[in-house]
Structures are given as C-alpha cells and as structure tokens.
Amino acid sequence: MKKIVAFLLTFVMLFTMVACSSASGSNPTTVPKPSGDASGAISEGSDGKEPIIVGFLGWSSGPDALYGLVPQYLMEDYVDKINAEGGWNGHMIDLRSYDISGTGGDFSEAVNATNKLIQEGAHAILGPSNSAQGTAVAELCNKAGILHIPSSAAQLVTVAEDGTVRDYTYRCGPMNEDLGNL
C-alpha cells in the first residue's frame, strides 16, 4: 500500500510540473492509448499486473467546465504517456473521470461518483475543487482508506468537525484563510 501511495503522490507532483511547464519549441506527439475493454477500463499489463485505478472528479460541463476539463485533459495525456512507456512499475494507470458539475452547493454527483470509484477498487481519487464536494468526498475516502487529493480550500477537507485529521486526504491548495491574506 505504501508503494501505491508513493506512486500516486509522485503522479500528482509530476502532473503539477507538467501542467506548469511550457512546451515551447517542441512538437506535439501522439501517444497510442493502451488497450481497454468496451467500457474503457484498462486491462492488465503485459506481465499480468493489475492496473492502478485513479479517479478524477471535475466539472466538465456547464459554465465552469474549463476548471475540470483542463486538468482532466492534462491528466489523460500524462496517463497515456506513462502507459505507453509501460506504466508505473509495470502497472497500467486506469484514469476514470467523472463530471460532478453540481450547482448551488450540490455535492450528490461527487458522492455518487466517489461511491462508484470505491466499489470499482480505486486506489486514489483526485479532486474536486469545490470545498463542499471535497469535504463530502474526503469523508468517504477516509472511511474506505483511499488516497484523496482535492484542490479545494476549506479546512474541513483535511480536518473533520471533531478536530481529527483525515489520514487519507492531502489538500494541494491553500486554505480559504490564506487566500484572504493575499
């Protein structure tokens, strides 16, 4: 389990570096997608190792779609590249993206997607960027023992209302209080 957590944290760090770097002077290349079944799920690697299932929860429809589509497309390109190079330690990465474009604080889509990912055996869930959704997802991930890396800003994402730290949630953005001091 520790190796999977280390691989996933490395994935997040590398994704952040790729997303923030420029591609000046380089030609885009097309990376072949690994074979999957009719549902789009990635099959085992050539040596029979199970794929690492990573879920992404983002807003990919509606007026705020750019907040979910940009990181989703970046992650898909990165995962395609990693899989074309043989995966992580021989494990293919199976990225499963879900649209959670709930409005007005509705977090039911995020909860439903998280429950589905947990049932499918996800190793990690990335997102969401909304604090209400992030808090609900954090609770589910911590109960299931699944790594959760949201970009939401509320303290309740990483610390429960009773003051206990959520052991499986690692926020990758500043807290709301820090944003007010900028």
Side-chain angles (χ1 to χ4, degrees), residues 1-174:
M1 182 66 188
K2 288 182 181 181
K3 285 184 180 182
I4 290 174
V5 171
F7 283 131
L8 292 172
L9 289 174
T10 302
F11 170 74
V12 170
M13 290 185 336
L14 288 173
F15 170 72
T16 303
M17 288 188 288
V18 169
C20 295
S21 67
S22 71
S24 61
S26 65
N27 294 327
T29 58
T30 303
V31 179
K33 291 191 180 251
S35 62
D37 62 17
S39 69
I42 302 291
S43 59
E44 293 179 347
S46 59
D47 56 0
K49 291 185 177 181
E50 292 289 321
I52 297 172
I53 300 171
V54 178
F56 173 72
L57 306 177
W59 299 352
S60 55
S61 64
D64 295 325
L66 72 109
Y67 297 113
L69 288 175
V70 171
Q72 178 182 331
Y73 292 156
L74 287 169
M75 281 190 282
E76 287 172 356
D77 286 346
Y78 178 72
V79 167
D80 288 347
K81 179 179 183 283
I82 293 299
N83 285 340
E85 294 172 356
W88 282 338
N89 199 21
H91 294 271
M92 296 290 111
I93 309 301
D94 183 356
L95 179 66
R96 300 180 185 183
S97 299
Y98 288 91
D99 179 13
I100 56 162
S101 300
T103 57
D106 178 22
F107 51 85
S108 61
E109 291 177 0
V111 168
N112 292 338
T114 301
N115 283 328
K116 184 172 183 179
L117 285 164
I118 290 170
Q119 291 170 357
E120 294 172 344
H123 296 93
I125 296 177
L126 309 176
S129 60
N130 175 291
S131 294
Q133 293 172 330
T135 302
V137 170
E139 183 70 27
L140 295 171
C141 288
N142 279 268
K143 283 182 181 175
I146 295 174
L147 177 65
H148 176 226
I149 304 175
S151 58
S152 45
Q155 182 176 350
L156 287 176
V157 173
T158 54
V159 179
E161 289 182 2
D162 64 2
T164 59
V165 175
R166 299 183 198 273
D167 293 330
Y168 291 90
T169 299
Y170 299 88
R171 183 180 52 236
C172 65

